[in-house]
Amino acid sequence: MRELKDITSLVLQEKKTVWMTLAFGLFAGLAGVSLFSASGYLISIAALETPIYILTIFIVLIKLLGFLRAGARYVERYVSHDATFMILKRLRTTFFSRLIPEVPRLFNRYPKGELLNRVTADVENLQYYFLRVLYPPLLFTVVMLFVIAFYSVFSLWQALAVAVAFIVTLLVMPALGIWRLRRRDDQVQQARGRLMTEAADVLHGRTDLFMANELDDHISNLKETSKQYSETAAGAERSLRQQETWQLLVSFTVVWVVTAIAGFEASAGELGGVYIAMLILLAMVAFETAEPLGVFPYHFHQAAQAAGRLHDVTEDKESTVQTAMSADPPSFTLHKAGFHYPGETLPALDQANASIPAARHTAVVGASGAGKTVLLHVLLRVLTATDGRVEIHGQSAENISPESLWEMTNVSLQEHAFFQGTIRDNLNLREHDVTDEALLKALQDAEAGEFSLDAVVEEQGRNLSGGERQRLALARLFLHDAPLWMLDEPLTGIDPASRVKLKAKLKERTKGRTVVWVTHELSEVEDADHVVVLQDGTVVEEGTYIDLMTRGGTLCEMKQVEKNMLQA
């Protein structure tokens, strides 16, 4: 419920439109109650010998109430929808501003597309939080308090009957509806999860399934899962319709109860017969404002889930005073640093102790899955160490602004983002005022001189080979100078001749900078000033290449294995 309190506080910041909506909604509700009450009373007195001028007054009053009700309803709808859009604007700016600083951390918990879809969909769901969750019960409560007070003037028993129906409608029915929805929603979520998983398997593995002659079977299973999901979702929809039906049943029941009590009291002489029609029509119209409560459980449940998910991805961490990183080449020190992916039993990085000297070339080596990339991400603060301590320039990494660290860093990760457009567009991601001459020079330095700046790049770089993507990523780096270079397998997929040239170019461009070069190619380690060797997520040794080879430890064993493989 804390999450909904946060949403409520954001909604109530739109004070003007919220209060105007409540005011006009209350006016329209009370005008409707007065209209039908006066109509009922007019019907009764018209059957008696009532002076024509009194009837005329009531007729004029009823017409006036009708106009007032219609006008107030129109203004209420106009203002409430204006409030909805203002609230949506505030929700968007609030949650996306909270989300942006957390993106690096969240990308390791959620797939990128899922994260964007999740936050966008949840924010959109909350746009009707005021109109469908907060406003209906509040308006219904205020109107019904007036109605109950009015009934108490004529009959305490009728007032009690309306009060009981009011409590059932406001509290009991929505609570039961929310309980049923939670049960149904778990089933829908599980069915949707199975459907999405199987659909992703078929889409991404279509070629392999076709070659294995399994595609038809997987498509059949997908159709069956889709059918099950549709049936489960239809069941949830039926539950919602049943909730609305029960809501109407309560409204009709109170009308019959009021009618019965009024008839009994009139026959006993406790109530004037002229008021019976008025009280019956009042009971009918009083619960008109309860109609939105029929779908209240659904919207409340959706809002609670959306708010919970948004809180999960944007929850505030303990704040620390952060400073900008110095422009000097940094040093890094790891003190028993560790990192666990959520839900994983074994750590990806375990009790790592290492030193990355400033203005030196450090190679991080190890077998696949040893934790090299995780170590790089922890140093970059893309991941936050779950154990131990990481220091930059001798101070805790948590005290340094991640944005300032990234601003001072040239990064080449294993996955590179390419966007639909041209080569020029994809090179100008960081530096927007670079001349074409500088862009062409960067392409030449990256052994990608065959590219034209106007050459088309398709979405996600689909028309680029692995080597082309890697060389264009290096061209991006050559356009920006930085005191820190973080390179994760920067020469993977590049032909041997180009590798030699690019390695020399990188060594030239990174002279006097701090370089962390992740690789499993031991030939790229020999020229490094410092070597860190990882095994099963742990730093097993570090030092200069010559020292480590002399010790005859893990690096020496890896080199010997490589030598034996080449000889074989």
Side-chain angles (χ1 to χ4, degrees):
M1 293 300 292
R2 175 194 165 193
E3 295 83 2
L4 285 180
K5 287 182 181 178
D6 293 340
I7 301 299
T8 303
S9 65
L10 287 174
V11 168
L12 294 181
Q13 290 180 27
E14 298 295 333
K15 296 179 182 178
K16 180 180 178 181
T17 51
V18 166
W19 282 111
M20 286 181 65
T21 301
L22 289 173
F24 281 102
L26 178 60
F27 188 85
L30 294 178
V33 167
S34 302
L35 171 66
F36 277 78
S37 300
S39 298
Y41 187 69
L42 177 62
I43 292 172
S44 297
I45 64 173
L48 305 176
E49 294 183 0
T50 305
I52 191 66
Y53 72 91
I54 294 179
L55 295 177
T56 303
I57 291 173
F58 270 93
I59 292 171
V60 172
L61 176 63
I62 288 171
K63 286 188 175 183
L64 177 61
L65 287 172
F67 282 120
L68 291 176
R69 183 194 187 207
R73 185 69 70 196
Y74 173 82
V75 176
E76 178 224 12
R77 296 291 169 84
Y78 178 85
V79 176
S80 64
H81 283 82
D82 184 52
T84 297
F85 289 117
M86 295 298 291
I87 290 168
L88 176 59
K89 176 184 176 182
R90 186 173 294 276
L91 291 172
R92 283 173 174 168
T93 54
T94 299
F95 280 105
F96 281 105
S97 63
R98 291 179 185 176
L99 176 67
I100 290 172
E102 300 294 331
V103 164
R105 173 179 63 86
L106 296 170
F107 274 175
N108 294 285
R109 295 176 57 190
Y110 311 102
K112 298 177 180 61
E114 178 187 338
L115 177 63
L116 180 61
N117 290 333
R118 177 179 184 150
V119 174
T120 302
D122 286 338
V123 170
E124 297 300 312
N125 280 336
L126 289 173
Q127 69 175 306
Y128 295 115
Y129 177 68
F130 169 69
L131 203 57
R132 305 284 172 79
V133 178
L134 280 183
Y135 177 57
L138 186 58
L139 177 64
F140 178 61
T141 298
V142 176
V143 170
M144 288 304 298
L145 290 177
F146 277 98
V147 170
I148 293 171
F150 184 80
Y151 266 104
S152 66
V153 174
F154 297 91
S155 169
L156 291 178
W157 285 108
Q158 292 184 51
L160 179 62
V162 173
V164 170
F166 163 63
I167 293 173
V168 171
T169 302
L170 182 67
L171 300 177
V172 179
M173 296 299 298
L176 290 174
I178 292 170
W179 176 72
R180 293 178 64 192
L181 273 173
R182 284 175 177 168
R183 293 179 56 198
R184 283 285 188 180
D185 192 62
D186 289 340
Q187 299 172 0
V188 173
Q189 292 290 346
Q190 292 174 6
R192 183 187 293 120
R194 289 193 298 270
L195 177 62
M196 297 301 293
T197 300
E198 292 186 19
D201 288 343
V202 171
L203 289 173
H204 296 299
R206 184 181 183 89
T207 302
D208 292 338
L209 292 172
F210 180 78
M211 298 297 293
N213 201 29
E214 292 288 331
L215 182 59
D216 290 341
D217 290 341
H218 277 73
I219 290 178
S220 297
N221 292 337
L222 180 61
K223 290 180 178 178
E224 181 62 28
T225 304
S226 178
K227 180 181 178 181
Q228 293 173 1
Y229 169 68
S230 298
E231 293 174 351
T232 305
E237 182 67 20
R238 284 195 297 272
S239 296
L240 182 61
R241 300 283 80 83
Q242 289 170 4
Q243 177 72 21
E244 293 177 308
T245 302
W246 284 107
Q247 194 78 49
L248 289 173
L249 181 61
V250 171
S251 302
F252 291 145
T253 301
V254 74
V255 173
W256 284 106
V257 171
V258 166
T259 302
I261 295 175
F264 176 80
E265 291 180 334
S267 62
E270 298 175 3
L271 177 71
V274 72
Y275 300 119
I276 293 178
M278 177 186 71
L279 295 175
I280 292 174
L281 286 178
L282 178 59
M284 294 176 63
V285 75
F287 285 85
E288 181 183 87
T289 53
E291 289 182 10
L293 294 179
V295 292
F296 170 83
Y298 171 79
H299 291 292
F300 179 86
H301 181 61
Q302 292 294 315
Q305 285 196 319
R309 287 190 293 262
L310 287 171
H311 181 267
D312 183 46
V313 298
T314 62
E315 59 183 335
D316 295 331
K317 305 295 180 182
E318 293 185 8
S319 59
T320 58
V321 177
Q322 295 183 333
T323 59
M325 193 182 83
S326 167
D328 298 326
S331 62
F332 294 84
T333 307
L334 286 82
H335 300 281
K336 296 184 178 181
F339 179 79
H340 275 83
Y341 282 107
E344 295 290 335
T345 304
L346 297 176
L349 191 66
D350 187 21
Q351 298 287 306
N353 293 295
S355 297
I356 310 294
R360 293 291 185 271
H361 181 155
T362 298
V364 180
V365 296
S368 297
K372 303 185 297 296
T373 297
V374 173
L375 174 62
L376 188 74
H377 287 183
V378 168
L379 294 176
L380 268 173
R381 298 206 59 198
V382 173
L383 296 177
T384 301
T386 53
D387 301 296
R389 177 181 172 88
V390 179
E391 293 182 353
I392 304 175
H393 278 311
Q395 61 176 314
S396 174
E398 294 182 358
N399 296 332
I400 294 178
S401 164
E403 291 81 5
S404 69
L405 172 61
W406 302 333
E407 181 66 27
M408 298 291 180
T409 307
N410 256 349
V411 182
S412 176
L413 301 178
Q414 290 185 7
E415 295 182 4
H416 306 292
F418 289 92
F419 308 95
Q420 186 172 354
T422 63
I423 295 293
R424 180 185 289 101
D425 298 331
N426 278 272
L427 291 180
N428 275 327
L429 292 182
R430 191 166 189 170
E431 305 289 346
H432 300 293
D433 56 352
V434 182
T435 64
D436 284 357
E437 290 75 12
L439 295 176
L440 292 171
K441 176 67 167 54
L443 288 173
Q444 291 289 343
D445 290 345
E447 297 296 315
E450 72 275 11
F451 283 107
S452 164
L453 294 178
D454 295 319
V456 174
V457 177
E458 295 181 2
E459 184 180 2
Q460 298 180 357
R462 287 194 302 259
N463 59 328
L464 301 174
S465 68
E468 289 174 334
R469 294 165 65 90
Q470 201 75 10
R471 286 182 286 143
L472 287 174
L474 289 173
R476 285 176 180 170
L477 299 188
F478 292 152
L479 287 168
H480 180 73
D481 192 17
L484 174 62
W485 291 58
M486 295 281 195
L487 309 174
D488 193 352
E489 306 281 4
L491 303 181
T492 299
I494 297 176
D495 62 275
S498 295
R499 286 174 70 96
V500 173
K501 296 178 182 178
L502 286 170
K503 184 178 177 182
K505 178 59 68 174
L506 283 168
K507 185 174 182 180
E508 173 191 335
R509 292 296 301 271
T510 58
K511 186 177 181 180
R513 276 59 169 175
T514 300
V515 180
V516 180
W517 185 310
V518 170
T519 182
H520 63 268
E521 295 285 345
L522 298 184
S523 60
E524 298 174 0
V525 176
E526 299 175 6
D527 295 335
D529 302 309
H530 190 73
V531 180
V532 175
V533 182
L534 279 165
Q535 189 174 52
D536 298 327
T538 301
V539 176
V540 293
E541 59 184 8
E542 64 172 319
T544 66
Y545 177 77
I546 295 175
D547 287 344
L548 295 181
M549 292 300 292
T550 303
R551 292 179 200 171
T554 303
L555 181 63
C556 185
E557 293 174 2
M558 294 169 63
K559 192 70 176 176
Q560 188 60 47
V561 170
E562 183 183 70
K563 181 179 179 181
N564 294 338
M565 292 178 63
L566 291 174
Q567 290 177 348

